Amino acid sequence: MSEVVGALPARPALLSFLGGVGTVTGSKFLLESDHARILLDCGLFQGFADLRRRDWERMARDAADIRAVVLTHAHLDHCGYLSRLVRAGFRGPVLSTTHTAQLAEIVLRDSARLQIEASRHANEYGWSKHRPARPLYDESDVERALAFFDPVPLGQEVDVIAGSRLTFHRAGHILGSAWARLRLEDGHTVVTSGDLGRPGHPLLLPPDPFYGSDVLLVESTYGDRRHDEGPRTGRDSPQLLLALSRATAPLSSPPSRSTGPKSS
Protein backbone atom coordinates (compact mmCIF):
# COMPACT_ATOMS: atom_id res chain seq x y z
CA MET A 1 0.00 0.00 0.00
CA SER A 2 1.01 3.62 -0.36
CA GLU A 3 0.08 6.76 1.44
CA VAL A 4 0.55 10.43 0.71
CA VAL A 5 1.78 12.74 3.47
CA GLY A 6 1.35 16.50 3.15
CA ALA A 7 -0.76 18.60 0.82
CA LEU A 8 -0.42 18.67 -2.94
CA PRO A 9 0.74 21.96 -4.49
CA ALA A 10 -2.19 24.17 -5.48
CA ARG A 11 -1.85 24.05 -9.27
CA PRO A 12 1.45 22.96 -10.77
CA ALA A 13 1.28 19.18 -10.47
CA LEU A 14 -1.22 16.33 -10.36
CA LEU A 15 -0.53 12.96 -8.75
CA SER A 16 -2.37 9.81 -9.89
CA PHE A 17 -2.04 6.40 -8.25
CA LEU A 18 -2.02 3.78 -11.03
CA GLY A 19 -0.87 0.90 -8.83
CA GLY A 20 0.24 0.06 -5.31
CA VAL A 21 -3.22 1.01 -3.96
CA GLY A 22 -5.51 -1.70 -2.58
CA THR A 23 -2.57 -4.11 -2.96
CA VAL A 24 1.16 -4.06 -2.27
CA THR A 25 2.15 -4.74 -5.90
CA GLY A 26 2.09 -2.85 -9.19
CA SER A 27 3.59 0.39 -7.87
CA LYS A 28 3.01 3.19 -10.40
CA PHE A 29 2.61 6.84 -9.47
CA LEU A 30 2.09 9.33 -12.29
CA LEU A 31 3.24 12.90 -11.73
CA GLU A 32 1.87 15.44 -14.21
CA SER A 33 2.46 19.16 -14.63
CA ASP A 34 2.23 21.60 -17.51
CA HIS A 35 5.64 20.47 -18.74
CA ALA A 36 6.17 16.96 -17.41
CA ARG A 37 4.51 13.57 -17.27
CA ILE A 38 6.74 11.31 -15.17
CA LEU A 39 5.98 7.79 -13.97
CA LEU A 40 7.43 7.03 -10.54
CA ASP A 41 8.11 3.28 -10.55
CA CYS A 42 6.65 0.88 -13.10
CA GLY A 43 5.72 -2.26 -11.23
CA LEU A 44 3.99 -5.48 -12.21
CA PHE A 45 0.84 -6.60 -10.42
CA GLN A 46 1.40 -10.00 -8.81
CA GLY A 47 -0.56 -12.54 -6.81
CA PHE A 48 -4.18 -13.55 -7.40
CA ALA A 49 -5.54 -13.76 -10.94
CA ASP A 50 -7.69 -10.64 -10.55
CA LEU A 51 -4.53 -8.68 -9.72
CA ARG A 52 -2.50 -10.17 -12.58
CA ARG A 53 -5.29 -9.29 -15.01
CA ARG A 54 -4.64 -5.63 -14.28
CA ASP A 55 -1.30 -5.96 -16.09
CA TRP A 56 -3.25 -6.57 -19.29
CA GLU A 57 -5.52 -3.56 -18.90
CA ARG A 58 -4.79 -0.33 -20.69
CA MET A 59 -3.19 2.26 -18.46
CA ALA A 60 -5.04 5.45 -17.60
CA ARG A 61 -2.52 7.37 -19.71
CA ASP A 62 -1.12 6.43 -23.12
CA ALA A 63 2.37 5.02 -22.72
CA ALA A 64 3.63 7.25 -25.52
CA ASP A 65 2.59 10.35 -23.54
CA ILE A 66 4.78 9.46 -20.54
CA ARG A 67 8.02 11.36 -20.93
CA ALA A 68 10.23 9.59 -18.35
CA VAL A 69 10.21 6.75 -15.80
CA VAL A 70 11.94 6.96 -12.43
CA LEU A 71 12.71 3.60 -10.78
CA THR A 72 13.44 3.37 -7.07
CA HIS A 73 14.67 -0.23 -7.18
CA ALA A 74 14.68 -3.47 -9.17
CA HIS A 75 12.05 -5.63 -7.51
CA LEU A 76 9.44 -6.89 -9.98
CA ASP A 77 6.57 -5.03 -8.29
CA HIS A 78 8.43 -1.78 -8.99
CA CYS A 79 10.08 -2.36 -12.40
CA GLY A 80 8.40 -5.42 -13.95
CA TYR A 81 5.85 -3.53 -16.08
CA LEU A 82 8.54 -1.55 -17.91
CA SER A 83 8.81 -3.98 -20.84
CA ARG A 84 5.04 -3.85 -21.32
CA LEU A 85 5.15 -0.04 -21.17
CA VAL A 86 7.75 0.02 -23.95
CA ARG A 87 5.67 -2.42 -26.02
CA ALA A 88 2.76 0.02 -25.63
CA GLY A 89 4.77 2.94 -26.98
CA PHE A 90 6.87 4.48 -24.19
CA ARG A 91 10.09 5.99 -25.60
CA GLY A 92 11.50 8.14 -22.81
CA PRO A 93 14.49 7.72 -20.49
CA VAL A 94 14.35 5.27 -17.57
CA LEU A 95 16.21 6.90 -14.70
CA SER A 96 17.61 4.71 -11.94
CA THR A 97 20.83 4.14 -10.04
CA THR A 98 23.52 2.12 -11.82
CA HIS A 99 23.01 -0.95 -9.64
CA THR A 100 19.24 -0.80 -10.10
CA ALA A 101 19.75 -0.79 -13.87
CA GLN A 102 22.03 -3.83 -13.61
CA LEU A 103 19.62 -5.77 -11.40
CA ALA A 104 16.58 -4.73 -13.45
CA GLU A 105 18.15 -6.36 -16.51
CA ILE A 106 18.28 -9.69 -14.65
CA VAL A 107 14.77 -9.30 -13.27
CA LEU A 108 13.18 -8.29 -16.58
CA ARG A 109 14.87 -11.06 -18.57
CA ASP A 110 13.77 -13.63 -16.02
CA SER A 111 10.23 -12.23 -15.98
CA ALA A 112 9.99 -12.46 -19.79
CA ARG A 113 11.09 -16.12 -19.69
CA LEU A 114 8.44 -16.86 -17.07
CA GLN A 115 5.78 -15.09 -19.15
CA ILE A 116 6.73 -17.16 -22.20
CA GLU A 117 6.81 -20.42 -20.26
CA ALA A 118 3.38 -19.70 -18.75
CA SER A 119 1.85 -19.00 -22.17
CA ARG A 120 3.36 -22.18 -23.63
CA HIS A 121 2.06 -24.22 -20.71
CA ALA A 122 -1.41 -22.68 -21.10
CA ASN A 123 -1.47 -23.50 -24.80
CA GLU A 124 -0.28 -27.06 -24.20
CA TYR A 125 -2.78 -27.87 -21.43
CA GLY A 126 -5.61 -25.54 -22.42
CA TRP A 127 -6.14 -23.81 -19.10
CA SER A 128 -6.29 -20.28 -20.53
CA LYS A 129 -9.47 -18.83 -22.03
CA HIS A 130 -7.30 -17.13 -24.68
CA ARG A 131 -6.58 -19.01 -27.92
CA PRO A 132 -3.68 -18.83 -28.22
CA ALA A 133 -2.39 -17.61 -24.88
CA ARG A 134 0.35 -15.01 -25.29
CA PRO A 135 2.99 -13.63 -22.91
CA LEU A 136 2.53 -10.18 -21.41
CA TYR A 137 5.90 -9.38 -22.99
CA ASP A 138 8.85 -11.27 -24.39
CA GLU A 139 12.65 -10.99 -24.66
CA SER A 140 12.48 -8.54 -27.56
CA ASP A 141 10.42 -6.15 -25.41
CA VAL A 142 13.00 -6.47 -22.65
CA GLU A 143 15.82 -5.65 -25.05
CA ARG A 144 14.02 -2.50 -26.15
CA ALA A 145 13.30 -1.50 -22.55
CA LEU A 146 16.91 -1.95 -21.48
CA ALA A 147 18.04 0.45 -24.22
CA PHE A 148 16.20 3.31 -22.50
CA PHE A 149 17.95 3.00 -19.12
CA ASP A 150 19.87 6.13 -18.17
CA PRO A 151 21.69 5.52 -14.84
CA VAL A 152 22.03 8.43 -12.39
CA PRO A 153 24.66 8.62 -9.60
CA LEU A 154 23.41 8.74 -6.02
CA GLY A 155 23.28 12.26 -4.62
CA GLN A 156 23.67 14.01 -7.98
CA GLU A 157 20.85 16.26 -9.18
CA VAL A 158 20.07 15.80 -12.88
CA ASP A 159 17.57 17.22 -15.36
CA VAL A 160 14.62 15.02 -16.22
CA ILE A 161 12.22 17.11 -18.31
CA ALA A 162 11.75 20.84 -18.90
CA GLY A 163 13.40 22.03 -15.69
CA SER A 164 12.25 19.15 -13.47
CA ARG A 165 15.25 17.78 -11.59
CA LEU A 166 15.83 14.43 -9.89
CA THR A 167 18.10 13.33 -7.06
CA PHE A 168 18.45 9.75 -5.81
CA HIS A 169 19.29 9.05 -2.16
CA ARG A 170 20.22 5.74 -0.57
CA ALA A 171 17.20 3.66 0.56
CA GLY A 172 18.97 0.64 2.08
CA HIS A 173 16.37 -1.86 0.82
CA ILE A 174 18.31 -3.87 -1.79
CA LEU A 175 21.44 -3.19 -3.82
CA GLY A 176 20.94 0.05 -5.75
CA SER A 177 17.66 0.99 -4.06
CA ALA A 178 17.01 4.70 -3.65
CA TRP A 179 14.36 7.15 -2.61
CA ALA A 180 13.78 9.82 -5.24
CA ARG A 181 13.45 13.59 -4.82
CA LEU A 182 11.90 15.46 -7.76
CA ARG A 183 12.12 19.25 -7.89
CA LEU A 184 9.57 20.55 -10.37
CA GLU A 185 9.96 23.55 -12.65
CA ASP A 186 7.95 25.76 -10.25
CA GLY A 187 10.20 24.88 -7.29
CA HIS A 188 7.82 22.45 -5.57
CA THR A 189 9.23 19.06 -4.64
CA VAL A 190 7.88 15.51 -4.53
CA VAL A 191 9.63 12.68 -2.70
CA THR A 192 8.82 9.00 -3.21
CA SER A 193 10.34 6.50 -0.82
CA GLY A 194 10.16 3.25 -2.76
CA ASP A 195 10.86 0.48 -0.25
CA LEU A 196 13.13 1.44 2.64
CA GLY A 197 15.62 -0.74 4.47
CA ARG A 198 16.54 -0.72 8.12
CA PRO A 199 19.50 0.57 10.11
CA GLY A 200 22.08 -2.05 10.97
CA HIS A 201 21.76 -4.17 7.82
CA PRO A 202 24.79 -6.51 7.58
CA LEU A 203 25.41 -5.65 3.89
CA LEU A 204 23.68 -2.35 3.08
CA LEU A 205 24.14 1.16 4.41
CA PRO A 206 21.02 2.63 6.10
CA PRO A 207 18.62 4.93 4.25
CA ASP A 208 19.56 8.58 3.89
CA PRO A 209 17.22 10.88 5.85
CA PHE A 210 14.35 12.59 4.06
CA TYR A 211 14.39 16.35 3.66
CA GLY A 212 12.47 19.23 2.11
CA SER A 213 9.40 18.15 0.13
CA ASP A 214 5.88 19.40 -0.48
CA VAL A 215 4.55 15.86 -1.08
CA LEU A 216 5.93 12.69 0.46
CA LEU A 217 4.86 9.34 -1.04
CA VAL A 218 5.55 6.64 1.53
CA GLU A 219 5.63 3.00 0.46
CA SER A 220 3.86 1.19 3.28
CA THR A 221 2.51 -2.37 3.50
CA TYR A 222 0.24 -1.14 6.28
CA GLY A 223 -0.95 2.04 4.60
CA ASP A 224 -4.62 1.03 4.76
CA ARG A 225 -4.74 0.61 8.53
CA ARG A 226 -6.61 3.02 10.77
CA HIS A 227 -4.70 4.66 13.59
CA ASP A 228 -6.23 6.06 16.75
CA GLU A 229 -3.95 9.09 16.79
CA GLY A 230 -2.83 11.52 14.12
CA PRO A 231 -4.23 12.22 10.65
CA ARG A 232 -5.87 9.49 8.62
CA THR A 233 -3.51 8.02 6.05
CA GLY A 234 -5.59 5.18 4.60
CA ARG A 235 -7.34 4.81 1.26
CA ASP A 236 -10.12 7.19 2.33
CA SER A 237 -7.85 10.07 3.37
CA PRO A 238 -8.62 13.49 1.81
CA GLN A 239 -5.06 13.73 0.50
CA LEU A 240 -5.31 10.41 -1.31
CA LEU A 241 -8.70 11.21 -2.80
CA LEU A 242 -7.26 14.46 -4.12
CA ALA A 243 -4.28 12.58 -5.52
CA LEU A 244 -6.58 10.25 -7.42
CA SER A 245 -7.91 13.14 -9.54
CA ARG A 246 -7.06 12.92 -13.22
CA ALA A 247 -6.02 15.48 -15.87
CA THR A 248 -5.86 15.18 -19.64
CA ALA A 249 -3.90 18.28 -20.69
CA PRO A 250 -1.27 17.28 -23.31
CA LEU A 251 2.40 17.94 -22.67
CA SER A 252 4.40 19.68 -25.34
CA SER A 253 7.84 20.53 -23.96
CA PRO A 254 10.59 18.17 -25.20
CA PRO A 255 12.68 16.32 -22.62
CA SER A 256 16.11 17.70 -21.86
CA ARG A 257 17.73 14.27 -21.65
CA SER A 258 18.06 11.70 -24.43
CA THR A 259 14.75 9.92 -25.10
CA GLY A 260 15.90 7.30 -27.56
CA PRO A 261 17.76 4.04 -27.25
CA LYS A 262 21.46 4.46 -26.66
CA SER A 263 23.86 3.43 -29.36
CA SER A 264 26.35 0.71 -28.53
Side-chain angles (χ1 to χ4, degrees):
M1 298 292 296
S2 301
E3 55 187 287
V4 60
V5 180
L8 286 172
R11 165 72 181 103
L14 177 78
L15 183 65
S16 299
F17 286 34
L18 307 183
V21 174
T23 175
V24 298
T25 67
S27 293
K28 301 181 196 72
F29 313 120
L30 184 63
L31 182 64
E32 299 173 276
S33 71
D34 290 337
H35 303 290
R37 185 168 283 167
I38 302 169
L39 191 63
L40 308 178
D41 280 335
C42 190
L44 203 67
F45 286 105
Q46 300 169 272
F48 296 113
D50 60 337
L51 289 176
R52 299 196 307 273
R53 278 193 289 269
R54 297 187 193 180
D55 293 319
W56 292 89
E57 296 174 357
R58 183 174 179 176
M59 284 183 57
R61 297 292 183 275
D62 288 339
D65 291 338
I66 297 172
R67 309 300 293 275
V69 173
V70 173
L71 292 184
T72 60
H73 65 287
H75 277 152
L76 196 65
D77 61 323
H78 286 257
C79 76
Y81 190 80
L82 186 60
S83 303
R84 182 72 178 185
L85 192 73
V86 170
R87 173 181 274 200
F90 171 74
R91 295 296 182 268
V94 179
L95 307 176
S96 72
T97 67
T98 299
H99 288 137
T100 290
Q102 293 170 339
L103 287 179
E105 178 176 358
I106 298 171
V107 170
L108 292 174
R109 291 188 192 281
D110 184 61
S111 177
R113 284 193 291 268
L114 291 174
Q115 297 282 346
I116 293 168
E117 289 175 7
S119 62
R120 287 175 179 169
H121 191 273
N123 289 326
E124 182 177 355
Y125 292 97
W127 52 262
S128 174
K129 65 179 181 181
H130 300 287
R131 299 289 188 273
R134 301 184 185 278
L136 185 66
Y137 53 80
D138 58 27
E139 287 112 337
S140 63
D141 299 311
V142 174
E143 292 299 327
R144 286 192 292 270
L146 294 175
F148 291 106
F149 271 83
D150 194 356
V152 174
L154 279 169
Q156 179 176 319
E157 189 176 57
V158 299
D159 287 326
V160 182
I161 294 170
S164 297
R165 297 180 65 80
L166 165 71
T167 309
F168 282 123
H169 298 270
R170 188 178 293 109
H173 176 54
I174 61 171
L175 184 66
S177 61
W179 59 266
R181 184 176 187 267
L182 278 162
R183 184 162 60 89
L184 305 181
E185 62 270 14
D186 66 347
H188 288 90
T189 62
V190 175
V191 166
T192 181
S193 70
D195 290 336
L196 298 175
R198 65 183 190 276
H201 193 285
L203 298 177
L204 301 174
L205 293 172
D208 292 333
F210 289 95
Y211 69 95
S213 69
D214 299 292
V215 177
L216 174 59
L217 288 168
V218 180
E219 189 79 6
S220 172
T221 303
Y222 307 105
D224 61 344
R225 289 191 178 182
R226 295 294 187 89
H227 301 276
D228 294 333
E229 298 179 0
R232 293 185 301 165
T233 56
R235 295 176 62 190
D236 57 344
S237 70
Q239 296 95 336
L240 182 54
L241 292 176
L242 178 60
L244 284 167
S245 301
R246 301 290 170 83
T248 58
L251 304 177
S252 57
S253 300
S256 57
R257 296 173 69 86
S258 170
T259 58
K262 299 177 181 177
S263 59
S264 56

